[in-house]
Every structure is written in C-alpha cells, then in structure tokens.
Amino acid sequence: MTLTFRTVPVLLLLSAFVIGGAFFAGCTTTTPQPQGTPTPTPSAEKTKVLLATTTSLYDTGLLDYLEPIFEEKYNVDLLITSQGTGKAIEVATRGDCDILAVHSPSQEKAFLDGGHGINHRCFAYNYFIIVGPANDPAGIKGMKPEDAFKTLMTMGKDNPAGVSFVSRGDNSGTHSAEKTIWKAAGYNYTTDVQKSGNWYIEAGRGMGETLQLASEKQAYTLTDEGTYLAYKGNLALVPVIEEGDILLNVYSVITVYTPTQPAGKIAMANNFSNFLTSLEIQAAIGEFGKEKYGKNLFSPMSENCSRFNCDCTSPAVIVSPSSLS
Amino acid sequence: MNEIIDGFVQAGELILSLDPEVLEITARSLLISLTATVIASLIAIPIGGFIHFREFGGKRGLITIIQTLYALPTVIAGLFVFLILSRVGPFGFLGLLFTPTGMIIGQTVLIIPLMVGMTLIALSGVKKSLQDEVISLGATSSQAILTIVKESRFAILGGVILGFGRAISEVGAAMIIGGNIRGYTRVLTTAIALETSMGNIAFSIALGMILLAIAMVVTIALFLVQEQ
C-alpha cells in the first residue's frame, strides 16, 4: 500500500515532465523549420513582437498568410492575438502588445490622441456590406445604407418575426461602423436603436458567429466583405446592399507606444508597418483570397491612396510621440 | 446531421494522421494544465490540511468562502490575473501576460479553491474514531495527522484530478490571459472556440474528441488507483 501511495504522485510528475520535455523539444525543432533554417538553434531566442488585431483580419487568414513572410524577412517571432477592435485597442492602451491592426477610425483617433500610438498607416480597405435572406423580406435591395436601416427599423418594429437585424454588439470596428450608419440615418443609437424591440438582436460575438446567428434567424446584418466571403459556404445569406460611401472599411496599423516600451520593439513594430505598406506586400494583399473565393478579400491601399484621408505611403520612422513636432 | 457525421469522420482522420498542429495544441494544453495542477496541489493540499487540523476563529466562514469560490467564473479568474499581469498592473514588469506561464498562473488561481475544498472533504471523511484510536495507541499528533492523510489519500487525489479536469476544460481564463496566439498560447479549448467561430466544424470536433479522450484517461487512472 505504501508503495502505491508513493508511486502515484511520482507517476503524475513523471508524466508531466515527459510530456513537457516532448513539448519543448517539439517547440525548438518545429518553429525554425517553416522559415527555412534547418539547424535548430534553441539558444538564440528570437525577438517576439505581439500584434493585437481584429477578428476580420485574422479569421480570413490574411495574417496567417503574411506572418511567415514577415518573420523570415526580419528574423522575428510575430505573435498574433485576435480580438474585437475595442478589446485590441484596450490591450494596446495598457501597453500589453506592440502592434495594433484595426479598423475603426474614431477609436483609432482617440487612441492616438491619448499618446498610446505612433505611425498610423492605412494598409488595406474593403467595403462593409449588408447581408440578409435571399427573399429580402424588408425589400431594401439597392437602397442607400442609411435608408435601408430606416426601413429595417420601421418594418422590424411592426413585425419582428418577419424582419430582424443582428448587431455585433461588441464594440468592434464593425459595430462602430454600424453605429455610424444609425447616426447618419438620424437615430440616437443608445435611445432609439438599442432596446427598441425584439427585431434588434445584439449578438455580442465575433463576425463569424454573428453571421451564423443571422443566417439561423434569417435576419439582416452588417458585415465586412472579407469575413462574409470566407464564411459564405456555411451561410443562408446573400449580399443585399453593397454600395454607399458610408460602407467604406479601412484597416490601419499603429505602432504601440509606452514610455517603457523597449526601442527594439518599437523598431520592429515600425518594420511591420513598412512591411505592410511595401509595394510587394500591397500586391500580395490584393491577391489574397482570389484563388479560394474568386475575388480578393481586401484591396491594397497603394492603388488609390489619394482617395482616402489617411497616410498609406510614408515610411514609419518616428519612435516616440514627442518626436512628432 | 450529415455535417455532424462528416465532422466526426474528418476528426478521426485528423487524429489518426497525427496532424502536427493538433498534436502541438494537445501537448501545450497538457503541459499548461498539468503544471497548474501540480502547483495548485502543492499549495492547496497543505492549506486544506492546515484548515482541517487547526482550530481558529472564522474557520467556518473561511470554509464558506472557499466553497463559494468553487463557482468562480473562469472569465473572472482570467480577468483578475489579466489585470495583475498587465503591463500597467502590479506584476506587469514580469511581462507574463499573453504567455503560457501567465496561463498556468490563471489556471492555478482558478482551481486552488476547488482543491482546498476537496482536501477538506477528504480529510473529514476519515472517521473520528480512527483518530481517537491512533492517539489511544500512543501516537503523537504528527503521527496521527500522517495516518489520517494516508487514509484519505485517494479522496485527495480525486480532488487533484477534479482540479485538472477544470483546468484543461476551461476556456475563459485561457482566452483572456493567453490571447489564443497560434503556436504559443493556443490550447485545445481556445482552438475549439476559434475554429467553431470560423466554421471549421471538423477541426473543432477533432479537438473536442481529444479533450474527452484525455478526460477519459484521467478518469480511468483515478478508477485504477481507487481499486487498489
């Protein structure tokens, strides 16, 4: 009996070490391989930079595609955490990541005004689209987005079983764009739209889940084009409205700044900005998804930078907010 | 229905073909949760023993607090550790947020109350008569404690395994503290959440099957230990 009593915890510990050992061994040999360096050098620890980003950039696979190219070029370990734009900005404001890539101009401006970031650059755009059931029960096809929202609200209040709208409801970039449209349509979001009835459903989830929810409920929703194309196969939703200046969706990259941020991380974050705005990567962004989805998910900024009120060409060189002046 | 069957078929293929990404995520999950369980055991079992064998004011209240914390939401445990480890938090200088070590801390915090509670239950499960008998045979109090602990070791181990089960199956703390970074902090549960949201049902089911398989191995191990 005493023997088994002693062997049990020992076995537990042993198995932990064995699995742990296998894991670390696996780690050191597998990470360098995709970068084409066959000799494992566990002692030379690479710099890690953490990118906090929005679900629409990550879930479409764009960043997974760009990550190895960047890592090879700069011999760095790029770590990516994907959250809604609101959460990503919160993480960056606390100084817990090194790079921010998001799509919410108003939240980005507040972030920069707070002195938390430098070298704001736009690197890609696409359009938000309003998707809904194929039979278009609200009859909004072809309307201006603002008018379509007005119609959705009127018809949804009258008949929530027939017409409903799913909102991200999570303070994400897409949610922020939705609020902008409600405002342009003449509504106060918190008093007129939220709690205005069962027709307005707040999902509180990522874009993919929100699309799936809208599909199950045969409701309308606002989505970025990239995520919709990536998920289209699993959805019973079709694009209803695809045009309107208010639907423009611009993705930006920002170097996160805190007074204690190591210079090396700022330099590497700036490298990432310059990488994204380089002609080579701009071309790659424009090609991404064409093969799989039949069209590109994102348009590179370089083609028509002048159309946007946003810097998308100058090299990211500033290393602190004070060096701006 | 077909979707579910397809999911299971593809899941089987992913597991049998030893998909490197699936293996890596599984190994990381096991490493993080086993380490958290070992650390939590080293902290929780002595605390449980102390509370059981000592008499002090507020003992009943302390036990109530510990039992309440069984229901500690994983997201709240995660948020608490997130705020502590964040660069502007008290331990921000350690740079542990969004690392596997941070996740181990989060899971340890999460399961300590449960494991303290299970230790208490295990120790009080030993008959009072046994304790009296041991002392009447002339044992010192430390010998008596040793006997009681020995007598309840399987019940204590059951608590340890319960703690491991909670650690490896939770998603809230792992997501908030780890950030679900591919190749670094992505574990079974956060990968399931991501893949499901991306519509990769087969991959989710495969990871879910692995998680359940681990739970089964652990349960069988517990059963074998108790049989002895």
Side-chain angles (χ1 to χ4, degrees):
Chain A
M1 275 307 253
T2 40
L3 188 72
T4 47
F5 176 42
R6 287 199 183 152
T7 46
V8 166
V10 170
L11 275 179
L12 255 178
L13 271 175
L14 262 182
S15 56
F17 286 129
V18 168
I19 292 159
F23 168 67
F24 279 121
C27 237
T28 45
T29 49
T30 49
T31 10
Q33 266 167 9
Q35 288 135 28
T37 44
T39 42
T41 48
S43 55
E45 181 92 345
K46 277 186 199 157
T47 310
K48 289 189 170 77
V49 282
L50 180 60
L51 164 67
T53 188
T54 158
T55 49
S56 52
L57 281 176
Y58 192 79
D59 291 0
T60 50
L62 176 67
L63 290 170
D64 275 346
Y65 166 69
L66 296 177
E67 182 188 343
I69 310 174
F70 177 71
E71 287 183 334
E72 189 178 4
K73 188 164 181 187
Y74 291 96
N75 189 35
V76 64
D77 193 3
L78 179 68
L79 304 175
I80 306 169
T81 178
S82 109
Q83 347 219 330
T85 289
K87 180 83 197 300
I89 289 180
E90 166 68 15
V91 164
T93 305
R94 304 179 67 90
D96 290 320
C97 65
D98 309 305
I99 316 168
L100 186 62
V102 288
H103 64 139
S104 176
S106 58
Q107 284 166 287
E108 288 160 33
K109 187 175 182 304
F111 178 76
L112 291 165
D113 289 347
H116 302 293
I118 49 178
N119 295 315
H120 179 272
R121 296 290 180 275
C122 300
F123 66 92
Y125 71 93
N126 57 22
Y127 287 91
F128 289 112
I129 55 176
I130 299 171
V131 297
N135 64 351
D136 189 16
I140 56 170
K141 197 167 183 64
M143 282 187 184
K144 271 181 69 185
E146 297 90 324
D147 297 336
F149 269 36
K150 276 184 200 161
T151 310
L152 284 176
M153 161 119 30
T154 315
M155 295 189 69
K157 278 182 173 169
D158 284 350
N159 174 22
V163 174
S164 55
F165 183 89
V166 181
S167 167
R168 283 285 291 277
D170 63 349
N171 206 21
S172 59
T174 308
H175 189 205
S176 157
E178 186 206 318
K179 289 185 210 165
T180 307
I181 302 175
W182 285 118
K183 199 176 164 195
Y187 296 102
N188 177 316
Y189 183 69
T190 41
T191 57
D192 302 341
V193 182
Q194 283 182 308
K195 296 175 193 159
S196 65
N198 291 338
W199 73 279
Y200 189 76
I201 302 160
E202 293 184 62
R205 311 210 57 188
M207 195 68 251
E209 288 123 327
T210 302
L211 281 167
Q212 283 170 348
L213 178 59
S215 176
E216 290 299 323
K217 293 203 175 278
Q218 284 296 287
Y220 293 88
T221 192
L222 180 75
T223 174
D224 65 287
E225 198 180 11
T227 310
Y228 172 72
L229 288 173
Y231 283 70
K232 201 169 134 187
N234 297 328
L235 300 172
L237 296 172
V238 297
V240 181
I241 296 174
E242 300 177 84
E243 277 171 28
D245 292 342
I246 205 164
L247 295 177
L248 179 67
N249 179 28
V250 176
Y251 291 91
S252 310
V253 60
I254 303 172
T255 297
V256 175
Y257 175 81
T258 63
T260 54
Q261 182 82 331
K265 299 239 178 181
I266 290 179
M268 193 52 78
N270 284 347
N271 283 341
F272 188 69
S273 287
N274 294 332
F275 170 80
L276 286 180
T277 54
S278 70
L279 286 177
E280 182 201 346
I281 296 306
Q282 285 283 299
I285 291 173
E287 286 298 310
F288 179 75
K290 268 188 183 165
E291 215 169 281
K292 193 168 173 192
Y293 305 111
K295 68 175 287 193
N296 53 324
L297 303 187
F298 301 93
S299 298
M301 273 288 171
S302 60
E303 282 173 8
N304 27 37
C305 192
S306 53
R307 270 180 59 199
F308 305 100
N309 183 22
C310 182
D311 187 350
C312 49
T313 48
S314 23
V317 287
I318 292 164
V319 295
S320 79
S322 54
S323 54
L324 270 169
S325 49
Chain B
M1 195 60 205
N2 275 339
E3 195 178 34
I4 299 172
I5 295 167
D6 284 354
F8 273 103
V9 171
Q10 288 182 45
E13 285 168 5
L14 275 171
I15 295 169
L16 291 176
S17 66
L18 300 174
D19 182 83
E21 188 156 6
V22 172
L23 283 183
E24 189 215 310
I25 292 171
T26 306
R28 183 177 303 113
S29 275
L30 268 174
L31 176 78
I32 289 173
S33 298
L34 277 176
T35 312
T37 308
V38 169
I39 297 171
S41 304
L42 294 176
I43 298 169
I45 295 172
I47 291 179
F50 182 86
I51 295 172
H52 179 79
F53 290 112
R54 297 292 172 87
E55 288 307 324
F56 52 89
K59 180 165 167 169
R60 193 57 246 169
L62 180 63
I63 293 175
T64 305
I65 290 170
I66 290 166
Q67 286 170 342
T68 305
L69 288 177
Y70 291 1
L72 182 65
T74 59
V75 178
I76 293 299
L79 186 60
F80 172 72
V81 175
F82 174 92
L83 292 173
I84 285 176
L85 295 183
S86 170
R87 209 154 299 190
V88 291
F91 291 99
F93 62 94
L94 296 172
L96 288 178
L97 192 63
F98 301 127
T99 64
T101 312
M103 296 171 80
I104 291 170
I105 295 171
Q107 293 190 350
T108 305
V109 168
L110 185 69
I111 63 176
I112 279 179
L114 183 69
M115 286 169 69
V116 171
M118 289 331 247
T119 306
L120 284 172
I121 291 170
L123 293 173
S124 41
V126 178
K127 286 197 191 85
K128 189 86 176 69
S129 55
L130 178 82
Q131 194 174 343
D132 297 338
E133 194 180 321
V134 173
I135 290 170
S136 71
L137 288 170
T140 62
S141 70
S142 61
Q143 281 172 322
I145 288 174
L146 199 66
T147 311
I148 293 167
V149 169
K150 268 190 183 175
E151 199 61 31
S152 59
R153 61 191 179 272
F154 299 134
I156 292 176
L157 187 65
V160 170
I161 287 168
L162 201 61
F164 173 74
R166 183 159 203 222
I168 200 161
S169 63
E170 71 86 24
V171 59
M175 191 67 99
I176 292 180
I177 304 167
N180 193 26
I181 300 167
R182 188 165 62 97
Y184 190 51
T185 59
R186 184 164 300 169
V187 292
L188 285 167
T189 52
T190 60
I192 291 171
L194 175 72
E195 298 296 337
T196 304
S197 78
M198 288 170 69
N200 298 332
I201 308 297
F203 205 68
S204 292
I205 293 179
L207 297 175
M209 281 168 67
I210 292 172
L211 190 70
L212 286 175
I214 291 173
M216 192 170 74
V217 168
V218 169
T219 311
I220 290 172
L222 174 65
F223 179 74
L224 290 177
V225 166
Q226 280 177 334
E227 282 292 279
Q228 288 177 355

